[in-house]
Amino acid sequence: MGMWASVDAMWDFPAEKRIFGAVLLFSWTVYLWETFLAQRQRRIYKTTTRVPAELEQIMDSDTFEKSRLYQLDKSTFSFWSGLYSEVEGTFILLFGGIPYLWRLSGQFCSSAGFGPEYEIIQSLVFLLLATLFSALTGLPWSLYNTFVIEEKHGFNHQTLEFFMKDAIKKFIVTQCILLPVSALLLYIIKIGGDYFFIYAWLFTLVVSLVLVTIYADYIAPLFDKFTPLPEGKLKQEIEVMAKSIDFPLTKVYVVEGSKRSSHSNAYFYGFFKNKRIVLFDTLLEEYSVPNKDNQEESGMEARNEGEGDSEEVKAKVKNKKQGCKNEEVLAVLGHELGHWKLGHTVKNIIISQMNSFLCFFLFAVLIGRRELFAAFGFYDSQPTLIGLLIIFQFIFSPYNEVLSFCLTVLSRRFEFQADAFAKKLGKAKDLYSALIKLNKDNLGFPVSDWLFSTWHYSHPPLLERLQALKNAKQD
């Protein structure tokens, strides 16, 4: 009887109190679930101190131990940063941080001569202050991750000055995109009438397509140097492979990722008949950084900026045996092009846009509910931006968790299919060795708790991928 009485008592609370309590309860439930999973994986890091028999052929004990310690440090960092994030979010909700920031934004606007009727301007000030707060509170964690954990395990190549310049630049570029897009979205919602959710969805669709199109050509080069892959055997073989599967390749770039980190990657971008491939220099074992003139120029820049030591660090990094041979790079690209040929990219865009449309539709249904605003301290006003924040971030959080898990499962399926596509291209043997090298270079730990990997891994565990490739490799 006591339990049912307490449940009945809970329903006696006003709707806004119930909504607020449910949001907090769900947030902490997710956090505790994530912590439980992380502790399961952490136990694996702690107890698996020897290379398992099935891995002895592909991983030496020294690399195994390095990757174990690296992942253990990352796990500890994730625990503390996750706890801080959850406590900070709870305090913001409990002590009315969101309505306080909205009032503060209003004060800034009124001091500049803009009254309450200028809601969009107040919304932009709110966004600026919120992202600034987020950047400042996240900065110590980012610094620790880069200059303690990544540094300790040999991945960080940045100086503090470079890191801070980068952080400021990222913040400015983000605001240059976020504020105009947000202003237009809010304007469309306000003037869109009964079907505003359709116009808002179409607007976000166009923005996302434009950003994907311009990102690598105009935004990414603000942070990293992109160099056309020099003429030679690798470029020729990439072009031949692209042509064999009708991939409309126009350019191949190498990005100088080594100035930040020794982690490696490769990707393609572009729409329709204008596709480009980007390879990280850390992926290429047989690639040396730009020609002598460029090296002298970068050396002069480094001396001018007092960063001469970083060139030494880069030289040392380049001397380390890292990256893949040309045949292995081609196999990795065969996998990436498999995502294109099998329609994974298009499928992901369709899923993303269907989800976006559904969210805007539900937003249109819920935006008029006063109790949603009251639950988060907005009793006298219902700003559109705050409605977006409340509904998309808090009310939809259970749906977002389920969707995220489903997309993780789908992603793993896509990865196996892309590996199989590379096998059909005759790249099984090279992809097999490339996966082992990339795992070693990135200090990936090849043993995982089944529940942790099921929930988190968007890529299948290394052993599962190698097993799928093994038969074809032996053929």
Side-chain angles (χ1 to χ4, degrees):
M1 286 293 289
M3 184 185 77
W4 293 113
S6 62
V7 170
D8 289 339
M10 185 183 76
W11 284 103
D12 289 338
F13 284 112
E16 58 264 28
K17 297 289 184 187
R18 295 202 302 270
I19 292 167
F20 184 80
V23 165
L24 266 187
L25 179 63
F26 185 78
S27 177
W28 275 95
T29 302
V30 170
Y31 169 75
L32 292 173
W33 166 247
E34 295 278 4
T35 304
F36 165 70
L37 293 178
Q39 287 306 112
R40 287 175 63 103
Q41 182 63 19
R42 187 175 175 78
R43 200 176 303 123
I44 298 281
Y45 297 145
K46 282 187 169 180
T47 56
T48 316
T49 54
R50 292 187 178 182
V51 184
E54 65 269 28
L55 288 168
E56 285 176 350
Q57 299 299 315
I58 62 169
M59 202 168 195
D60 60 88
S61 56
D62 184 47
T63 304
F64 187 82
E65 181 63 8
K66 282 180 182 175
S67 67
R68 187 181 76 85
L69 295 175
Y70 176 53
Q71 297 299 336
L72 201 53
D73 281 352
K74 282 178 67 178
S75 173
T76 305
F77 175 79
S78 290
F79 171 77
W80 290 111
S81 61
L83 178 61
Y84 168 80
S85 180
E86 188 63 24
V87 170
E88 179 193 78
T90 301
F91 278 7
I92 287 171
L93 290 179
L94 286 174
F95 294 103
I98 298 173
Y100 169 76
L101 198 61
W102 181 257
R103 288 194 300 272
L104 186 64
S105 306
Q107 289 166 15
F108 278 120
C109 289
S110 61
S111 64
F114 297 103
E117 67 274 16
Y118 291 94
E119 188 192 304
I120 291 177
I121 292 175
Q122 187 173 346
S123 298
L124 298 186
V125 175
F126 176 88
L127 272 177
L128 181 62
L129 292 176
T131 50
L132 182 61
F133 173 81
S134 180
L136 291 175
T137 54
L139 184 61
W141 296 101
S142 187
L143 282 166
Y144 186 88
N145 183 52
T146 303
F147 292 100
V148 177
I149 295 176
E150 296 291 300
E151 184 82 34
K152 176 183 173 183
H153 295 278
F155 287 116
N156 176 48
H157 302 157
Q158 301 178 68
T159 62
L160 182 60
E161 184 182 357
F162 178 88
F163 177 92
M164 293 307 296
K165 280 182 182 174
D166 216 34
I168 293 167
K169 201 190 294 183
K170 277 178 190 170
F171 183 81
I172 292 169
V173 170
T174 300
Q175 300 310 313
C176 289
I177 297 168
L178 176 67
L179 298 181
V181 168
S182 300
L184 281 169
L185 177 61
L186 293 172
Y187 181 70
I188 288 167
I189 291 172
K190 285 197 168 298
I191 67 161
D194 291 342
Y195 297 102
F196 77 83
F197 61 94
I198 297 176
Y199 309 131
W201 168 68
L202 287 172
F203 172 70
T204 56
L205 169 62
V206 170
V207 168
S208 61
L209 293 178
V210 168
L211 286 177
V212 167
T213 306
I214 69 169
Y215 174 78
D217 285 331
Y218 300 103
I219 300 173
L222 295 172
F223 302 95
D224 293 303
K225 185 176 180 183
F226 286 72
T227 309
L229 181 67
E231 295 295 333
K233 190 178 177 186
L234 178 60
K235 187 178 180 186
Q236 272 183 337
E237 288 178 330
I238 290 173
E239 288 170 346
V240 168
M241 183 169 69
K243 194 171 182 181
S244 73
I245 61 167
D246 300 319
F247 182 77
L249 179 64
T250 53
K251 289 179 183 175
V252 185
Y253 292 109
V254 179
V255 60
E256 196 181 336
S258 57
K259 69 178 182 179
R260 298 172 191 282
S261 165
S262 54
H263 290 297
S264 47
N265 200 0
Y267 63 91
F268 68 87
Y269 70 98
F271 284 107
F272 308 115
K273 301 294 182 184
N274 188 25
K275 307 280 189 191
R276 291 95 184 274
I277 287 173
V278 177
L279 307 170
F280 278 53
D281 58 349
T282 46
L283 178 69
L284 308 175
E285 183 185 295
E286 299 171 35
Y287 176 80
S288 54
V289 186
N291 57 48
K292 190 179 176 188
D293 293 339
N294 285 347
Q295 284 179 329
E296 287 172 0
E297 184 183 328
S298 62
M300 283 172 64
E301 286 173 1
R303 283 193 294 276
N304 289 341
E305 293 177 15
E307 291 180 6
D309 290 343
S310 66
E311 292 298 316
E312 269 182 56
V313 173
K314 284 185 203 172
K316 286 177 189 171
V317 169
K318 279 293 166 192
N319 290 335
K320 280 171 63 182
K321 191 71 172 173
Q322 185 184 348
C324 297
K325 294 176 182 174
N326 285 353
E327 297 81 10
E328 293 163 340
V329 172
L330 283 167
V332 170
L333 277 181
H335 167 94
E336 293 300 329
L337 295 181
H339 285 305
W340 171 79
K341 189 69 175 178
L342 297 168
H344 296 164
T345 312
V346 172
K347 287 172 187 172
N348 280 330
I349 290 172
I350 291 170
I351 291 169
S352 169
Q353 291 310 316
M354 284 172 63
N355 172 60
S356 179
F357 181 82
L358 175 65
C359 288
F360 274 116
F361 172 74
L362 293 174
F363 169 77
V365 172
L366 295 170
I367 187 64
R369 305 296 291 263
R370 288 183 175 275
E371 60 268 31
L372 289 178
F373 289 88
F376 294 88
F378 288 83
Y379 301 101
D380 304 318
S381 62
Q382 298 181 42
T384 305
L385 177 69
I386 300 302
L388 283 165
L389 175 69
I390 290 169
I391 293 168
F392 277 74
Q393 186 171 337
F394 299 120
I395 306 303
F396 287 173
S397 52
Y399 164 74
N400 290 335
E401 286 295 320
V402 173
L403 178 67
S404 176
F405 174 69
C406 292
L407 290 177
T408 299
V409 173
L410 183 66
S411 173
R412 277 201 301 275
R413 181 181 171 84
F414 283 172
E415 292 302 318
F416 276 126
Q417 289 175 355
D419 282 352
F421 183 84
K423 278 199 314 195
K424 285 182 184 174
L425 294 177
K427 308 289 184 188
K429 182 181 176 184
D430 292 322
L431 184 57
Y432 188 96
S433 57
L435 289 174
I436 293 168
K437 281 188 178 180
L438 291 172
N439 187 78
K440 181 180 177 181
D441 287 347
N442 291 297
L443 290 185
F445 194 69
V447 185
S448 53
D449 172 74
W450 73 271
L451 194 54
F452 180 87
S453 64
T454 300
W455 187 260
H456 281 294
Y457 287 6
S458 61
H459 286 55
L462 177 66
L463 277 177
E464 290 181 27
R465 293 181 73 179
L466 294 182
Q467 192 59 46
L469 288 166
K470 205 167 190 178
N471 295 335
K473 184 173 91 80
Q474 290 169 346
D475 289 343

